[in-house]
Amino acid sequence: MTAGPEVSAGPAGPASTVLTGPELSLVVLVGISGSGKSTFARAHFKPTEVISSDFCRGLVADDENDQSATKAAFELLHYIVGKRLAGGRLTVVDATNVQPEARRTLVALAREHDVLPVAIVLDLPEKLCAERNAGREDRDFGPHVLRRQHDQLRRGLKGLRREGFRTVHVLRTPDEVARATLTRTKLFNDLRHEHGPFDVIGDVHGCRAELEQLLTELGYQLERDDAGRPAGATHPDRRAVFVGDLVDRGPDTPGVLRLVMGMVAAGTALCVSGNHEAKLLKALRGRNVRLNHGLPESLAQLAAETEQFRAEAERFIDSLLSHYVLDDGRLVVAHAGLIERYQGRASGRVREFCLYGETTGETDEYGLPVRYPWAEEYRGRAMVVYGHTPVPRPEWLNNTLCLDTGCVFGGRLTALNYPERTVVSVPAARVYYTPARPFPAAAPAEPASSPGASGAAGGSGPGARRSLWGRRSLRARRGRRGRPPGARGPRPR
């Protein structure tokens, strides 16, 4: 169960067949009757992790072999699977699953709950399965049933990845099945074992000088390359975490990339992707993108760098994840924030939310998307620290904190000390880029209000959040119904 669309077909070595995969996933066992799916499930998974179609048939009809109860049994199976995935629990479906329509429903369930679907196929010889069934009184059906199941399995085997399975394992002999071992791996965004302390840094947007100043203020020692350029920074006790949008608009996107790339490579920093990195990556790869919002400046600055540096920057940006879950789940860092049910999950819509947040589908008087203030409704256990939407100063709201204080617009570059929950910021040297919306004069450095306050510091009451232009953002409940999380209007910024 590797975290990629690879097919492993056969033993990894003479001793065992190693199957690795994510701790949170939907595992779909595929095989004809008699291939040993239930035996395999008992050997490798906890009883509570395995949902069997036969068991569900017994629950609804008091007879695991009552085929007339199949429809109701699978309705129950899908319900239980959905509840387990919603709770963040690995779930195994033990059924033949040789029909594409049966698998399609399960892949849809995995997507609904933003987990990766994994297929483990027991493609054993039809004759062997028939011999096993012959010794079981509850498998009293003719050879035509096995033949049909086997034909369906073979027709669908090559298309499993196209159906949406991120990982496919195929075991073709009893020996391979007997030697199989399963290793559960964490998703790349799961860094719960990393406890900090951390310095979470807001949107830099090419402001290298201010980043150097902030890192120095935080106690980091800058490291320079042979040309005297900052190419890394270390701290004796702490680690930096960047919320994304390192690039665009500012005077030195390559300098910021060089510094952060060096820190990430040395293990002194983590970084998630912002929407500006996502767009820059497309441009670097020759995709047709709109040249606005500071992208032309980044491309011009990168054109002056070596081809090697541009290639390294492209690989770095491509490697950035959508979010991190840190400190036993107490801290989540994502560029545009993240609602609780998406935290620690992996799907396209989770990444979409992390990069862009939610929008209403409306535009404001400046022609920019109106965003849902998701933080007003947030009640999650984890502290969520993010950027993306410039604000005059960082303010706590329902255990969330926005750190984009508009440095590139003449504001400040801000960091949160975690777990201390103190804020450190440095002023921008000047206005580098004029935003579509007017940005207020740089606010004086001051600590954010304490978490748990009923409203944002400096706001006008509970449930209101001051936006960067001094007016309330759209209430979260306005028009919320009928627009699920992750729905999109025009692209933010």
Side-chain angles (χ1 to χ4, degrees):
M1 298 186 299
T2 53
E6 299 178 358
V7 176
S8 67
S16 64
T17 304
V18 181
L19 314 179
T20 62
E23 289 179 333
L24 176 55
S25 58
L26 175 60
V27 179
V28 178
L29 301 181
V30 182
I32 69 175
S33 178
S35 59
K37 298 180 299 298
S38 298
T39 302
F40 183 89
R42 285 193 296 270
H44 297 286
F45 300 98
K46 293 187 289 188
T48 52
E49 293 176 329
V50 181
I51 313 300
S52 162
S53 60
D54 288 345
F55 177 72
C56 290
R57 202 177 281 112
L59 287 177
V60 299
D62 292 328
D63 182 357
E64 293 189 354
N65 299 302
D66 185 351
Q67 296 302 310
S68 68
T70 295
K71 182 177 184 295
F74 274 93
E75 289 174 354
L76 176 60
L77 182 147
H78 295 149
Y79 178 80
I80 296 172
V81 168
K83 288 298 183 181
R84 286 188 57 85
L85 295 180
R89 294 175 176 86
L90 182 142
T91 304
V92 181
V93 176
D94 176 12
T96 58
N97 294 314
V98 294
Q99 302 94 347
E101 56 271 19
R103 297 190 297 267
R104 190 178 303 118
T105 302
L106 295 173
V107 170
L109 266 174
R111 288 174 175 165
E112 179 183 346
H113 296 283
D114 305 287
V115 302
L116 300 177
V118 174
I120 300 180
V121 183
L122 276 62
D123 184 20
L124 272 62
E126 181 182 342
K127 181 179 179 181
L128 173 63
C129 296
E131 292 172 354
R132 291 175 176 177
N133 286 333
R136 296 179 56 180
E137 294 182 358
D138 60 345
R139 291 294 185 266
D140 185 19
F141 46 73
H144 66 283
V145 175
L146 278 187
R147 191 174 306 116
R148 182 178 67 247
Q149 291 179 353
H150 191 260
D151 289 345
Q152 289 173 321
L153 172 62
R154 299 316 298 267
R155 285 198 303 269
L157 187 58
K158 291 183 179 180
L160 290 176
R161 284 180 290 178
R162 290 193 299 273
E163 293 179 11
F165 287 98
R166 292 292 300 272
T167 304
V168 178
H169 291 292
V170 184
L171 304 173
R172 291 193 168 92
T173 67
D175 186 49
E176 286 184 9
V177 174
R179 291 188 289 108
T181 61
L182 269 66
T183 301
R184 304 186 187 192
T185 60
K186 293 179 179 291
L187 291 176
F188 293 129
N189 60 27
D190 185 355
L191 296 183
R192 289 176 172 86
H193 60 284
E194 297 280 357
H195 302 294
F198 301 110
D199 298 309
V200 187
I201 298 175
D203 301 41
V204 182
H205 278 303
C207 299
R208 177 193 50 78
E210 286 81 358
L211 177 57
E212 288 188 50
Q213 183 183 352
L214 180 61
L215 288 171
T216 301
E217 184 77 17
L218 292 167
Y220 289 78
Q221 181 69 42
L222 292 172
E223 299 172 344
R224 300 186 181 274
D225 61 15
D226 293 340
R229 301 169 299 192
T234 60
H235 193 289
D237 304 307
R238 307 181 69 86
R239 194 176 189 185
V241 185
F242 292 89
V243 304
D245 275 8
L246 305 173
V247 305
D248 293 348
R249 296 177 172 156
D252 195 359
T253 282
V256 171
L257 285 172
R258 183 177 291 107
L259 175 52
V260 176
M261 286 161 56
M263 294 178 69
V264 171
T268 61
L270 298 167
C271 183
V272 299
S273 179
N275 58 304
H276 282 260
E277 279 81 35
K279 188 175 182 181
L280 175 59
L281 181 62
K282 293 177 182 177
L284 291 174
R285 291 180 168 175
R287 299 275 295 277
N288 184 22
V289 296
R290 295 181 65 184
L291 298 177
N292 55 10
H293 301 307
L295 179 59
E297 288 82 351
S298 289
L299 293 175
Q301 293 164 16
L302 287 167
E305 299 291 328
T306 65
E307 183 177 346
Q308 178 182 353
F309 179 83
R310 288 194 298 272
E312 290 173 354
E314 180 180 333
R315 286 193 296 270
F316 170 74
I317 294 171
D318 187 44
S319 73
L320 298 178
L321 302 183
S322 66
H323 71 287
Y324 282 114
V325 180
L326 301 150
D327 193 23
D328 293 324
R330 297 184 184 93
L331 174 65
V332 170
V333 178
H335 176 63
L338 197 58
I339 57 178
E340 185 174 28
R341 73 185 184 94
Y342 286 173
Q343 295 169 10
R345 303 294 176 115
S347 71
R349 70 175 177 177
V350 170
R351 184 173 180 84
E352 192 86 357
F353 193 106
C354 290
L355 293 180
Y356 306 105
E358 287 184 87
T359 61
T360 68
E362 302 168 294
T363 56
D364 62 14
E365 63 269 37
Y366 300 99
L368 297 177
V370 177
R371 296 179 184 140
Y372 275 120
W374 61 273
E376 291 184 8
E377 294 187 343
Y378 182 74
R379 298 296 184 271
R381 168 179 173 265
M383 177 196 301
V384 180
V385 184
Y386 62 104
H388 188 55
T389 303
V391 293
R393 62 181 182 271
E395 298 171 346
W396 288 102
L397 180 61
N398 298 330
N399 207 25
T400 76
L401 186 67
C402 178
L403 290 177
D404 184 357
T405 46
C407 182
V408 76
F409 303 138
R412 306 181 72 87
L413 184 59
T414 300
L416 170 73
N417 304 132
Y418 177 92
E420 300 87 348
R421 303 190 182 210
T422 54
V423 168
V424 178
S425 68
V426 298
R430 62 182 180 87
V431 175
Y432 296 104
Y433 194 91
T434 302
R437 296 186 183 103
F439 191 82
E446 55 184 81
S449 60
S450 60
S454 60
S460 54
R465 176 162 186 141
R466 290 289 185 180
S467 63
L468 67 89
W469 43 93
R471 292 192 300 273
R472 290 188 188 185
S473 55
L474 185 73
R475 292 289 305 204
R477 293 169 184 80
R478 176 186 169 193
R480 178 98 182 191
R481 293 180 182 177
R483 185 172 179 86
R488 292 182 293 161
R491 271 282 183 264
R493 287 199 288 158

